[in-house]
Amino acid sequence: MPTVEMVTKVWIAPGCIVCDACETTCPEVFHVQHENETCIIRPEALDVEFTKPLTKTIIEAAQECPVDVIKYEVAKFDVSDEVAAKIAGGATAAPAPATAGEAPAAAAHAATSTKAAPAKPAEPPKPKVMDPAIQALLAATTVRGGHVVIDRGVAGMPDSVKHLAKLSPDQLPPDGKFQRVLEKAKPSSEEPTRRDLLLGAGWTALAMGFGVGPLLAFNRFMAPNVLEQEDPKVRCGPLSKYTSLAPGDVNEDFKPVKPSGFWIIREEERISALSIICTHLGCIPSWLPNDRKFKCPCHGSGFKPNGTNFEGPAPRPLERFKIYLDGDQVIVDRSKKFLAMGPNDTAVWNDPDASIPV
Ligand code: FES
């Protein structure tokens, strides 16, 4: 009876750039949620019996992921010849060959698959097309609102690629995977974009002799479509807005703030700012006011109104951002975080910068 290795668990590590590549390759398992700027594992794919037959495409999606955030575990199974043949040749695409030192599960899978299925002609290994400089740029890149946003401060971004950040997408070196990201940054050709409209207005104004204003607008929109990362400090309004909350209440006004949203919570004697990123694998939980908890849609983690994890796989409470007063204005500074290491290890929350006493 042939033995094959099959995927028993798949998950997405933090750092997804929402590029659609994984859902294109394996839509049964991966679901990109642009509205939340994340990608999740579909609930049915949490079942091992669901993932096993999809082993091949899951591994391909992991190998194609430009930022290598798709992770999986495999286990060996004795299967019938029929099942082994199905797994070996089930996908229409050629098996993804594994490079030495990379994706050992894929290598094992390919090797064991041939035990039961007729041997396929050897294929040349897929070239690893991702240049390290491009990989670093991708790690520093997110696609948002039709723009490529480059976080120039990402640690580990080598000097050799900093000049790439100054180029327009069209000037960047060709790369199949990177192209998928760039596709997201391109305006739709079907509808006139803001840029198209303003270009049109600029030309019209020039034609009508309105001087340099339209020319400046033209120059602005001909410039590389690259934005600086947002200021980490967010002004959140007067303190009274939050002292009027009842203890245990949650203000969601700043959940959509990019690139790191947060909730402002009222505890008995202080207000604090909670990161909206689940401490399990980075999905975005929802605040359920009737249940008085934050609930993560990906794997079911639950957090109390103060961010303490109490159910599901999340290992730590939600992280907190620095919060302070500027006059009577509440400021949240997302450049500094406070990480409690467990539901009973929250001493860091007592740091003066972690809350505003009320
Ligand atoms: Fe897994 Fe939230 S990401 S529970």
Side-chain angles (χ1 to χ4, degrees), residues 264-286:
I264 294 185
I265 61 163
R266 168 75 197 269
E267 294 178 89
E268 196 65 47
E269 295 177 338
R270 61 189 179 189
I271 65 169
S272 308
L274 303 187
S275 166
I276 62 168
I277 304 301
C278 176
T279 53
H280 179 221
L281 292 175
C283 291
I284 299 179
S286 299

Side-chain angles (χ1 to χ4, degrees), residues 97-104 107 125:
T99 313
E102 175 196 16

Side-chain angles (χ1 to χ4, degrees), residues 95-234:
T99 313
E102 175 196 16
H109 169 63
T112 52
S113 294
T114 57
K115 272 189 182 178
K120 292 195 169 190
E123 294 180 9
K126 259 186 200 169
K128 186 74 175 173
V129 295
M130 181 68 71
D131 181 282
I134 299 299
Q135 186 120 25
L137 182 63
L138 277 170
T141 305
T142 57
V143 178
R144 190 174 304 122
H147 297 277
V148 176
V149 180
I150 295 177
D151 177 357
R152 293 165 198 254
V154 166
M157 188 174 177
D159 290 343
S160 60
V161 300
K162 282 187 177 158
H163 73 281
L164 293 173
K166 297 174 184 158
L167 301 178
S168 74
D170 291 343
Q171 293 173 299
L172 289 166
D175 182 283
K177 295 171 186 173
F178 189 54
Q179 200 58 35
R180 295 191 184 200
V181 178
L182 296 182
E183 286 300 322
K184 303 298 296 179
K186 284 184 180 166
S188 162
S189 58
E190 293 170 4
E191 296 177 3
T193 62
R194 184 175 69 121
R195 175 175 165 156
D196 295 330
L197 293 172
L198 287 171
L199 274 174
W203 280 112
T204 303
L206 274 175
M208 294 173 67
F210 274 91
V212 298
L215 187 57
L216 290 176
F218 174 82
N219 284 339
R220 162 63 187 88
F221 287 98
M222 286 302 287
N225 199 13
V226 175
L227 302 179
E228 296 289 347
Q229 192 182 29
E230 288 85 347
D231 188 339
K233 294 179 184 172
V234 180

Side-chain angles (χ1 to χ4, degrees), residues 232 247-250 260-279 294 303-309 316-324 331-343 345-358:
D249 278 356
V250 174
S260 325
F262 54 89
W263 292 287
I264 294 185
I265 61 163
R266 168 75 197 269
E267 294 178 89
E268 196 65 47
E269 295 177 338
R270 61 189 179 189
I271 65 169
S272 308
L274 303 187
S275 166
I276 62 168
I277 304 301
C278 176
T279 53
F294 300 96
F303 303 86
K304 294 178 182 175
N306 69 355
T308 304
N309 53 310
R316 296 186 290 109
L318 295 172
E319 294 171 356
R320 297 190 175 201
F321 290 128
K322 178 179 177 180
I323 188 169
Y324 61 97
I331 311 291
V332 171
D333 182 353
R334 296 166 292 171
S335 66
K336 183 169 183 183
K337 284 183 185 176
F338 298 90
L339 277 59
M341 300 314 293
D345 185 2
T346 59
V348 69
W349 292 350
N350 296 326
D351 187 294
D353 284 343
S355 64
I356 297 175
V358 294

